[in-house]
Amino acid sequence: MRSQFLLFTFLVFFTGLFLGILRIVIPVLEREQGLSAEISILIPLVVFGFIKGIFNFLTGKLSDILGRKKSFKWLVGSWLSWLL
């Protein structure tokens, strides 16, 4: 149960971080760079798609090399050590 709570807390934190960026950075870019509303809506979606695609590719390669369970343990362990 504790691990589910930590995962949920982790996801809520990064969701809030992403929404904060949307609410603060995007309007500034609209004013300073003269971006239209359509472009400012598409920027976060495109960036998220590229980053998700890159991480899925890298995780797939790591999973092919180490195996699924070992790569999951390695990724979780590296994130936890970085957070501590």
Side-chain angles (χ1 to χ4, degrees):
M1 189 68 172
R2 179 183 159 101
S3 63
Q4 290 177 346
F5 176 75
L6 290 175
L7 176 64
F8 181 71
T9 305
F10 184 74
L11 292 173
V12 167
F13 171 75
F14 280 106
T15 302
L17 191 65
F18 182 72
L19 292 175
I21 288 172
L22 287 177
R23 294 187 68 188
I24 295 170
V25 174
I26 298 298
V28 171
L29 285 175
E30 284 179 347
R31 277 181 271 148
E32 290 183 3
Q33 304 296 327
L35 296 176
S36 65
E38 294 84 14
I39 297 293
S40 64
I41 290 171
L42 288 176
I43 287 173
L45 296 174
V46 170
V47 169
F48 176 78
F50 276 119
I51 291 174
K52 183 171 173 47
I54 289 168
F55 274 102
N56 283 346
F57 178 74
L58 294 175
T59 306
K61 287 291 186 185
L62 184 66
S63 177
D64 287 343
I65 294 169
L66 296 177
R68 200 173 111 221
K69 287 186 180 181
K70 286 184 182 179
S71 64
F72 179 72
K73 289 178 185 177
W74 184 82
L75 287 171
V76 170
S78 65
W79 273 102
L80 288 177
S81 66
W82 180 75
L83 289 174
L84 296 176

